[in-house]
């Protein structure tokens, strides 16, 4: 195979974005050969936009059975990601899914099993893994630069969304249509980076999700979560869609210092010696370890979605390791599922998560959701 022939399932905002990148010629070894969408208006747009150079289908089965594609990009609404991926694996496709991996961990685990059985490449569009800032953070933590991780604080409240945004689709911000709010729609990248950069998953969590705070919606749009780890570390994660202006600040503190990322800049606060060693030898009441503040230089722009597409193409053609394996989508989703479940039960939740209990509680909300699916749901973010 000299090039990967891509087909896109769902050409709303995200799908059309991938199509634009693929048809730009920026991705070596990749070509867009087909798209599909349940919406006639989207199919008409594709026919007009691509001028006949890309085949247009009504559904994924017809597109895949045409023999025109080697890999699919799944850009449908959240609930459809696992089912579309599983069907594509069954037909021998390589699969790249949009975030989130799904809505609840059980369906994502089934998708992961199908991927493993297929022997095909499986990736997820965690484009922030391509960001030099977070790649550097992961490298510094893994190398032991700040010692053992002790505390993680992330305030990510710059997801401002108006009522007009929520009113733009009947499926939006509903349990039945979207499966959640800020945790499932806006924050999957941060939930992934939280555990990917630190290499740690919590052992238990207590969360407080506020549903419809300052907005007429039924899902969460303001969250404060507290997590604990096996090594004694703790984490606080705060997010909202109604803060103006918002904040995006990540701090990771360890026994040898702290890393702060804010406003696209990274600052390293490096202790001259490990805090535990300093504490053991110190005899002064109000002494503190010597600390060096280092502003780390920018590492260049992030390739974002194009970077993920190039990496996935290289994985198919050359066997290049995936930057964002699809199987890892379950980790960030587990964090959001745990936050929901903790709030619903008004209690601590242990990890690994009781996935059956989470699904049962989610189904209770779906049963009373305002959204009732009467027509295809258009994929937008």
């Amino acid at each position: 195979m000299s090039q990967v022939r891509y087909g896109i399932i769902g050409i709303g905002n995200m799908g059309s974005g991938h199509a634009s990148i693929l048809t730009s010629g920026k991705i070596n070894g990749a070509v867009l050969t087909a798209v599909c969408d349940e919406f006639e208006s989207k199919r008409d747009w594709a026919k007009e936009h691509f001028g006949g150079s890309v085949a247009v289908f009504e559904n994924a089965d017809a597109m895949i059975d045409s023999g025109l594609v080697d890999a699919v990009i799944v850009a449908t609404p959240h609930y459809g990601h696992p089912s579309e991926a599983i069907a594509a694996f069954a037909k021998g496709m390589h699969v790249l899914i949009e975030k989130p991996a799904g809505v609840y961990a059980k369906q994502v685990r089934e998708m992961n099993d199908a991927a493993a059985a297929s022997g095909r490449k499986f990736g997820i569009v965690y484009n922030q893994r391509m960001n030099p800032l977070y790649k550097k953070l992961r490298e510094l933590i893994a190398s032991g630069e700040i010692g053992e991780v002790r505390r993680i604080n992330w305030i990510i409240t710059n997801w401002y969304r108006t009522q007009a945004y929520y009113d733009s689709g009947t499926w939006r911000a509903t349990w039945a249509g979207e499966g959640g709010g800020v945790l499932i729609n806006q924050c999957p990248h941060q939930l992934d980076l939280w555990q990917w950069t630190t290499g740690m998953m919590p052992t238990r969590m207590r969360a407080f999700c506020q549903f419809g705070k300052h907005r007429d919606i039924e899902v969460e749009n303001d969250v404060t979560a507290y997590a604990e780890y096996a090594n004694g570390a703790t984490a606080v994660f705060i997010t909202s869609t109604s803060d103006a202006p918002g904040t995006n600040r990540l701090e990771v503190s360890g026994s040898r210092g702290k890393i702060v990322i804010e406003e696209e800049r990274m600052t390293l606060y490096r202790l001259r010696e490990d805090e535990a060693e300093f504490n053991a030898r110190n005899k002064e009441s109000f002494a503190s370890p010597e600390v060096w503040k280092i502003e780390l230089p920018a590492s260049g722009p992030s390739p974002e979605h194009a970077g993920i597409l190039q990496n996935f193409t290289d994985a198919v053609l050359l066997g290049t390791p995936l930057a964002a394996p699809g199987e890892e989508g379950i980790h960030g989703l587990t964090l959001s599922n745990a936050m929901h479940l903790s709030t619903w039960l008004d209690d601590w939740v242990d990890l690994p998560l009781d996935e059956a209990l989470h699904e049962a509680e989610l189904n209770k909300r779906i049963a009373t959701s305002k959204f009732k699916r009467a027509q295809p749901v258009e994929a937008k973010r």
Side-chain angles (χ1 to χ4, degrees), residues 20 43 48 79 120 133 166 201 215 223 317 329 347 362:
S20 178
R43 296 196 300 273
E48 180 180 353
Y79 279 106
R120 299 298 182 179
L133 278 174
Y166 290 117
M201 281 288 284
R215 299 290 185 270
V223 179
L317 294 178
D347 202 356
L362 173 62

Side-chain angles (χ1 to χ4, degrees), residues 56-333:
V56 180
F57 296 89
E58 186 172 346
N59 58 67
D61 285 340
M63 183 179 74
I64 293 171
D65 291 342
S66 71
L68 294 174
V69 300
D70 308 303
V72 297
I73 300 173
V74 179
T76 57
H78 309 151
Y79 279 106
H81 293 179
S83 59
E84 293 287 3
I86 290 170
F89 285 128
K91 291 177 178 286
M93 296 287 103
H94 302 285
V95 178
L96 177 64
I97 61 169
E98 257 297 342
K99 59 84 181 170
V103 174
Y104 53 97
K106 179 184 175 183
Q107 64 171 179
V108 173
R109 198 170 297 283
E110 293 169 354
M111 175 175 62
N112 288 353
D113 290 343
S118 74
R120 299 298 182 179
K121 297 298 181 182
F122 178 35
I124 185 168
V125 186
Y126 278 150
N127 54 285
Q128 286 304 304
R129 290 195 183 189
M130 310 304 294
N131 189 320
L133 278 174
Y134 297 112
K135 291 172 71 174
K136 174 61 71 174
L137 174 64
R138 176 178 162 89
E139 292 168 6
L140 289 172
I141 293 173
S143 71
E145 186 66 32
I146 60 170
E148 182 182 37
V149 173
R150 291 181 170 182
R151 188 185 307 279
I152 307 159
N153 293 321
W154 203 335
I155 302 175
I156 173 71
T157 59
N158 60 346
W159 294 120
Y160 187 74
R161 297 293 186 270
T162 65
Q163 188 64 47
Y165 164 84
Y166 290 117
D167 292 343
S168 66
T170 58
W171 65 281
R172 196 182 289 283
T174 62
W175 293 114
E178 198 165 15
V182 63
L183 293 175
I184 205 75
N185 194 325
Q186 285 81 33
C187 276
H189 290 301
Q190 285 70 41
L191 295 174
D192 173 61
L193 293 172
W194 174 2
Q195 52 78 33
W196 180 71
T197 58
T198 61
M200 301 165 59
M201 281 288 284
T203 55
R204 69 172 190 159
M205 183 177 290
R206 182 69 175 96
F208 302 88
C209 298
Q210 299 188 62
F211 306 103
K213 186 175 184 179
H214 307 307
R215 299 290 185 270
D216 182 21
I217 59 174
E218 63 187 43
V219 296
E220 85 289 345
N221 64 328
D222 192 293
V223 179
T224 299
Y226 172 79
E228 295 181 346
Y229 294 82
N231 72 337
T234 62
V236 174
F237 186 85
I238 298 172
T239 189
S240 169
T241 62
S242 60
D243 285 22
T247 297
N248 184 0
R249 180 182 174 91
L250 171 62
E251 294 189 6
V252 183
S253 299
S255 60
R256 288 195 65 103
K258 176 175 71 173
I259 297 172
V260 177
I261 296 178
E262 187 172 19
E263 296 182 349
E264 299 301 314
R265 295 196 304 270
M266 177 183 288
T267 304
L268 170 63
Y269 298 84
R270 181 66 155 79
L271 298 186
R272 184 173 183 177
E273 61 182 310
D274 189 279
E275 185 280 329
E277 296 174 2
F278 171 83
N279 185 60
R281 70 169 180 78
N282 175 66
K283 304 302 181 183
E284 299 179 24
S285 298
F286 295 100
S288 59
E290 182 179 345
V291 59
W292 306 322
K293 181 180 178 181
I294 307 167
E295 298 287 351
L296 297 179
S299 302
S302 172
E304 301 289 330
H305 293 84
I308 287 289
L309 283 170
Q310 186 64 70
N311 172 254
F312 189 78
T313 301
D314 292 343
V316 174
L317 294 178
L318 308 173
T320 302
L322 286 166
E327 294 85 353
E328 295 182 7
I330 198 169
H331 302 317
L333 182 66

Side-chain angles (χ1 to χ4, degrees), residues 361-373:
E361 290 294 325
L362 173 62
N363 284 334
K364 292 179 183 178
R365 277 87 191 160
I366 292 173
T368 59
S369 176
K370 297 176 183 177
F371 175 74
K372 304 299 179 185
R373 192 177 192 274

